[in-house]
Amino acid sequence: MKDLPVIGKDPLGRTIKDFTVMPWWGVDRKSIEWYPKINYDVCTGCGICYITCGNRVVFDWDKEMKKPVVARPYNCVVSCTTCGNLCPHDALIFPDREYMHEVIIKEKILKKAAKKLKEHDLI
């Protein structure tokens, strides 16, 4: 992950890297529509999502709205819902589990995971 392109810093001083260049299980990250969408009708601008997503820096902060914006959706870790789980107002929406199940089946992720585990003598 050190070799990922740096694309800037956020207002908190965190380095923003471009994770879109790193495939997920050999699949182009931009072909997987996994990232949060914000329901601004219920978002209070508490900032938990913005601060919590420290490694991937998916969010920017809109100073006028005083709310987060999904600025780098494909930096989101595939299947991560940490920000959504922590949101006290359920303002973050992710694709449903069925979507990820379809991706896992289509891209043969279970087979790839089993191969990786076997390579390390774990199964």
Side-chain angles (χ1 to χ4, degrees), residues 24-25 27 32 34 78-79 96-113:
W24 184 74
W25 288 102
V27 180
I32 303 169
W34 184 270
V78 174
S79 275
D96 61 24
R97 289 178 56 150
E98 188 58 35
Y99 171 75
M100 281 312 304
H101 289 201
E102 290 171 10
V103 171
I104 288 166
I105 290 166
K106 178 184 172 214
E107 301 296 342
K108 300 177 174 85
I109 303 301
L110 292 177
K111 186 176 180 180
K112 293 174 184 180

Side-chain angles (χ1 to χ4, degrees), residues 25-90:
W25 288 102
V27 180
D28 178 16
R29 177 59 185 93
K30 288 186 177 179
S31 73
I32 303 169
E33 293 187 26
W34 184 270
Y35 47 82
K37 293 181 181 172
I38 302 170
N39 178 347
Y40 288 108
D41 292 335
V42 295
C43 175
T44 63
C46 72
I48 290 175
C49 59
Y50 176 74
I51 293 169
T52 300
C53 188
N55 184 30
R56 297 289 182 115
V57 196
V58 170
F59 300 96
D60 274 344
W61 192 259
D62 185 310
K63 289 182 180 180
E64 287 182 26
M65 281 195 324
K66 296 187 174 149
K67 293 187 178 182
V69 292
V70 179
R72 288 164 290 283
Y74 295 103
N75 268 16
C76 188
V77 175
V78 174
S79 275
C80 181
T81 59
T82 300
C83 59
N85 292 337
L86 294 174
C87 179
H89 301 285
D90 295 324

Side-chain angles (χ1 to χ4, degrees), residues 114-123:
K115 181 181 177 189
K116 178 70 91 178
L117 291 170
K118 284 179 185 175
E119 287 172 2
H120 293 277
D121 213 19
L122 298 172
I123 59 171

